[in-house]
Amino acid sequence: MPKQKITKEMVVDAAFELARAGGMEQVMVKNIAEKLGCSVQPIYSYCKNMDGLRKDVTERARQFIQKFVAAHIDKNDLFRSTGRAYIQIAKEEPHILKMFIFQQRKNISSLDDLYQCEASPQMAQTIADELNITVEKAKQLHLNMLIYTIGIGTIFSVTTPGIPPEEIYSQQENAYRVFLRAALEENNDEQ
């Protein structure tokens, strides 16, 4: 039987699946080799250091989250459903959420930098149009909800046996109403 050719893609796939199931701490050469059914040698040939592989796995987690959110949003309630999708990820894929949250973000020196890095450029305009507020107020509302949702999603993903999702959604909705009221009041004061 010919030897199986191990590719870099196979190594990244195996590492991602290990991280998805048990966290990034499971991404070790011996675990990857075991998952692929090979010796550690092919793994070392692709991974000069584990940092590069971990970056690839983290990027895969980012892509996973983007696809997950896109598949779970309601076009008629884009803003709220996006927040709910993040909470659903926290419940269904806690290790992926942790990889996403704890990834190193370079060249971020302000919350505006973070917003530019994490948010879709069209989202602020969509929110502004939907709520009839300025784009700046929409960005602030969106940033507030991103920070809040990631925070509560993190809490949700690390609690056992777990906070009921309905309680999390209710809390998220309360935060949304408070942030929205502030955005609307500030928007009206400026007009």
Side-chain angles (χ1 to χ4, degrees), residues 56-69:
D56 289 343
V57 170
T58 300
E59 180 54 32
R60 183 76 56 88
R62 175 184 282 281
Q63 292 167 1
F64 181 94
I65 286 178
Q66 288 172 341
K67 288 178 187 170
F68 187 97
V69 169

Side-chain angles (χ1 to χ4, degrees), residues 10-169:
M10 292 168 71
V11 172
V12 174
D13 288 347
F16 177 75
E17 289 306 319
L18 288 165
R20 182 179 185 183
M24 191 64 90
E25 53 276 359
Q26 296 302 310
V27 178
M28 296 183 287
V29 172
K30 70 179 183 81
N31 292 350
I32 296 167
E34 184 178 304
K35 185 152 185 75
L36 291 174
C38 67
S39 71
V40 296
Q41 191 280 326
I43 313 305
Y44 282 119
S45 70
Y46 290 114
C47 305
K48 303 300 181 223
N49 65 53
M50 291 303 286
D51 287 339
L53 178 60
R54 287 190 179 100
K55 283 180 185 172
D56 289 343
V57 170
T58 300
E59 180 54 32
R60 183 76 56 88
R62 175 184 282 281
Q63 292 167 1
F64 181 94
I65 286 178
Q66 288 172 341
K67 288 178 187 170
F68 187 97
V69 169
H72 289 83
I73 58 173
D74 174 357
K75 300 281 190 227
N76 297 317
D77 193 7
L78 189 65
F79 191 46
R80 281 189 181 108
S81 64
T82 300
R84 285 181 174 253
Y86 275 97
I87 299 303
Q88 192 172 347
I89 289 169
K91 179 181 181 192
E92 295 176 15
E93 301 284 355
H95 297 297
I96 290 177
L97 181 68
K98 289 175 201 169
M99 285 186 281
F100 172 73
I101 290 170
F102 295 123
Q103 70 181 309
Q104 182 70 38
R105 288 167 173 86
K106 297 188 187 275
N107 301 317
I108 304 293
S109 59
S110 69
L111 289 176
D112 188 57
D113 290 345
L114 180 66
Y115 184 81
Q116 298 304 320
C117 174
E118 297 298 325
S120 163
Q122 310 89 300
M123 185 56 95
Q125 186 63 56
T126 300
I127 295 167
D129 293 345
E130 187 176 305
L131 299 175
N132 197 28
I133 59 177
T134 67
V135 172
E136 280 307 308
K137 294 300 170 210
K139 279 174 64 175
Q140 187 60 52
L141 174 61
H142 191 206
L143 177 62
N144 287 342
M145 285 308 297
L146 281 171
I147 292 168
Y148 189 84
T149 297
I150 300 257
I152 202 165
T154 302
I155 292 166
F156 185 60
S157 72
V158 297
T159 57
T160 57
I163 301 167
E166 299 74 32
E167 188 176 343
I168 297 293
Y169 293 145

Side-chain angles (χ1 to χ4, degrees), residues 152-189:
I152 202 165
T154 302
I155 292 166
F156 185 60
S157 72
V158 297
T159 57
T160 57
I163 301 167
E166 299 74 32
E167 188 176 343
I168 297 293
Y169 293 145
S170 175
Q171 192 64 35
Q172 191 179 33
E173 184 64 27
N174 290 339
Y176 171 71
R177 282 195 293 267
V178 169
F179 292 141
L180 176 61
R181 186 172 40 249
L184 291 173
E185 287 171 4
E186 289 171 13
N187 192 66
N188 290 337
D189 289 346

